[in-house]
Amino acid sequence: MTLPRRRTTIRAAGRTLFLTDDASALRRQLEGETLTLTPRPEDLLDAISTDEITPAWACYHYDEALARYAYVGLRGGDVEVDAVARGGFAIVVSGRSKGCGSSRETAPYAEREAGIRVVVARSFEKIYRQNCHNIGLVTTTDFSLLEPLARGERVPLSRFTAGLDPISRDVVHYGGLFAYNRARLTGDVAPPELAQRPRPMTLAEKIIARHAVLDADAGDVGAVAVAPGESLFLRADVRFSHEYVTPMAEALYRAGVGDDTPLHDPASIYAFRDHLTLVDRVMDARHVAMGLDAKAKKLEVVQRDWARRRGVRLFGEVKRGGQTVGSEAICHNKVVEELARPGDVVVGTDSHTCMAGSIGAFAFGVGATDMANAWFTGDVRACVPASVRIELTGRLRWGVTAKDVMLHLLAQPYWRNGEGIGKVLEFAGEGLRHLRLDERSTLTNMAVEAGGFTGIVEADDAVIEELCALRGEDAAGLRAGIVRADPDATYAHHFVVALDEVVPMVATPGDPRNGVPLDDLAAVAGGPVAIDIAYGGSCTGGKRADMDMYHQVLAQALAAGRRIAPGVRLYLQFGSQEIRAYARERGYIATFERIGAELVDPSCGACIRAGPGVSESSDQVTVSAINRNYPGRSGPGRVYLANPYVVAASALAGVIVGPAPRETHVTETQRPPRALRAAPGR
């Protein structure tokens, strides 16, 4: 084995690509022109999502072919296939929140394979930046480095690692995570020792301390205390991946440690066929002609073969009448329903892994390289994040949901300006008592839309009761893992949200942080917003509580003789087969079908432009219960985010509106049910 070498300098031999809001300037650069004037920071594109760097269809590749597709999904459609790769660029520059959205490591991988070596931005989203470092890309927010880099000078790596935690600094110096780990195995480098001084801790800090790896060889796990900024490795209780990422992680594993190396504790590793199960229903002729249908199918085959060989539990496809109709479950719904437990550390190859924080787990998304290493070591690296305390008081009014709470929060300057990037959103307060597990899951699911590390809610008796009903488990075992924050813990910021003052919200197209009150939407949009598609589904909008909400609105309309508005298509998608069974047993499916909704089995589907409910043209408008609406995410059309009540009401009206008022204050949506169906086989 070649011993890794520690780098001290970097030289970027190539051109600089400025991603600006001037489409003409962007096109000229791609055609060979070098900009003589550096764009002002405010002219650089903000919130470039990983969907824009590598759109969903490009991710069917997981090798060097990704170089061809770097930035082909960028807003405006000005970047053609091969444009970045043939441009000779070594440096790429953009604005705030670079790499928001999905955790897909294909995005920085495409940049690297296209020739990029240095990524410059005003700020970075956590997972994207970590993925860059894992594969050897260097990142910086220091724009003064542009001139020496452009001149081809060698620049000390220390100029790029200032502010990084010690492990991340070493990963950058060794050129990637696998090289770092090889150095760690040979004793050339080691994680820093933890201070181990007792201190009051937040909920996340307590779980991190419990799982801190002190001596990997001796199996020594558990620290006295941890503090923000400390870097360490955490022993993971649940590790999961899906077919979008498993093949890439498996290839990285083989290259890094060899195909014969056994997985660490395969019983705690899970695989999901949930992202591309229905993509064949919506793949356009152009992509079929490119052979992407075969590429998408190959991802499923590679994952299925890997899971069989490695003894990993696979949640696969569901067939009816000999035809694949969907998946067993979307990974996040199944992790909450069955796999994770209070107090666990959960890592998954998806940014919405944080949804499992609803049961009091410390759950976060990682890229393919981090997952491949976690398969090998059983642990995952982390820098202890600071936490933001979000105190919920009062109770939501009817027609207002946890989705509105999140859209309200995301619209605050703290999150819009990127101050919350990398922080934990810790939800607390007496207002949580009135939110059942599914609504808490919406809170934690959308923490990543704030740029957060994760979201977490302290588990309580209500959540334990729901988990017991779902799983058929005894409460004592689940309660044993509950962790509680110390009352005098230190937080980076503190919000108080009066739930009874929250109103229905809508996020206008382009960013989940574009939230406005529903009552103000017409003024913002210049009139009522007519829709073509109403979409209720995904991990965020396909839970039991969401089905309750859709049904409340649609059943009332059906009783009044109403149907879906002409020209509108309403899609309702279940997060798992158990949720589908719940809806059928309560009579919801009959209502949905009678009113004209199109029902979709579990799959990430339209949320990632891979299933029924996607837009087909740029002039189409969708109102959706999914979690993000970045450009191109669910098709070329414009996507407004709203709660399930609004999605259903809008499908009936043909424009974005709220539901008819209800007199009752407390509903089954806000009150935990008396009994839930236990998961099959439990």
Side-chain angles (χ1 to χ4, degrees), residues 78-423:
D78 295 304
V79 182
E80 297 178 351
V81 173
D82 291 321
V84 176
R86 69 180 175 229
F89 300 105
I91 306 161
V92 64
V93 186
S94 60
R96 290 193 182 95
S97 295
K98 173 69 182 295
C100 55
S102 168
S103 62
R104 61 185 67 163
E105 194 168 316
T106 49
Y109 193 91
E111 292 175 296
R112 189 191 73 178
E113 294 304 302
I116 302 298
R117 293 295 174 264
V118 179
V119 185
V120 184
R122 296 178 71 184
S123 65
F124 293 94
E125 296 290 319
K126 172 195 167 291
I127 301 176
Y128 169 80
R129 186 176 68 164
Q130 184 162 307
N131 285 340
C132 284
H133 297 163
N134 284 347
I135 62 173
L137 289 182
V138 174
T139 66
T140 183
T141 59
D142 184 354
F143 278 60
S144 71
L145 295 176
L146 284 173
E147 287 191 18
L149 286 168
R151 290 194 298 264
E153 297 178 10
R154 283 204 166 272
V155 180
L157 272 175
S158 58
R159 296 288 304 277
F160 297 89
T161 59
L164 295 181
D165 66 89
I167 292 177
S168 293
R169 284 201 299 268
D170 283 333
V171 168
V172 171
H173 278 286
Y174 277 98
L177 184 58
F178 269 110
Y180 166 84
N181 267 333
R182 288 199 298 271
R184 183 166 69 126
L185 291 174
T186 60
D188 290 340
V189 66
E193 292 188 6
L194 300 175
Q196 295 272 55
R197 289 190 293 269
R199 59 182 292 274
M201 290 188 288
T202 67
L203 181 52
E205 290 164 3
K206 280 198 166 182
I207 297 175
I208 291 170
R210 282 188 180 183
H211 290 78
V213 177
L214 303 181
D215 187 331
D217 291 335
D220 189 6
V221 177
V224 172
V226 295
E230 290 187 306
S231 53
L232 71 167
F233 285 84
L234 301 178
R235 181 57 45 83
D237 300 290
V238 175
R239 292 159 287 163
F240 71 88
S241 59
H242 49 68
E243 82 272 32
Y244 229 168
V245 177
T246 302
M248 187 175 188
E250 194 260 349
L252 292 167
Y253 189 92
R254 282 189 282 107
V257 297
D259 193 41
D260 295 332
T261 303
L263 302 179
H264 183 281
D265 187 21
S268 64
I269 300 173
Y270 304 92
F272 287 87
R273 162 66 162 164
D274 70 342
H275 270 55
L276 304 176
T277 324
L278 305 177
V279 70
D280 59 325
R281 299 190 192 179
V282 298
M283 185 176 290
D284 61 43
R286 180 171 62 93
H287 290 159
V288 172
M290 293 168 62
L292 294 180
D293 54 341
K295 285 283 186 182
K297 180 62 178 175
K298 183 180 178 181
L299 295 176
E300 185 274 328
V301 173
V302 170
Q303 176 176 259
R304 176 160 34 95
D305 179 62
W306 171 82
R308 178 187 55 78
R309 287 187 294 107
R310 293 292 193 167
V312 169
R313 182 178 176 184
L314 170 65
F315 292 91
E317 299 178 350
V318 170
K319 296 182 182 293
R320 296 194 196 97
Q323 300 294 317
T324 297
V325 296
S327 307
E328 289 186 55
I330 299 174
C331 54
H332 310 300
N333 299 93
K334 179 56 67 174
V335 169
V336 170
E337 288 177 349
E338 184 176 342
L339 303 180
R341 306 171 70 84
D344 275 358
V345 166
V346 179
V347 291
T349 58
D350 194 287
S351 57
H352 290 110
T353 299
C354 50
M355 179 163 158
S358 62
I359 66 169
F362 183 66
F364 57 98
V366 297
T369 302
D370 274 308
M371 183 55 66
N373 273 276
W375 288 341
F376 174 50
T377 64
D379 55 35
V380 62
R381 72 181 174 112
C383 178
V384 180
S387 294
V388 173
R389 179 89 166 179
I390 301 172
E391 200 88 21
L392 305 181
T393 66
R395 67 195 316 168
L396 295 171
R397 293 171 288 172
W398 187 86
V400 185
T401 74
K403 183 65 161 284
D404 302 300
V405 175
M406 287 310 297
L407 294 181
H408 165 76
L409 275 171
L410 294 175
Q412 304 308 308
Y414 185 83
W415 308 106
R416 287 185 61 86
N417 296 338
E419 295 176 72
I421 289 177
K423 295 182 173 63

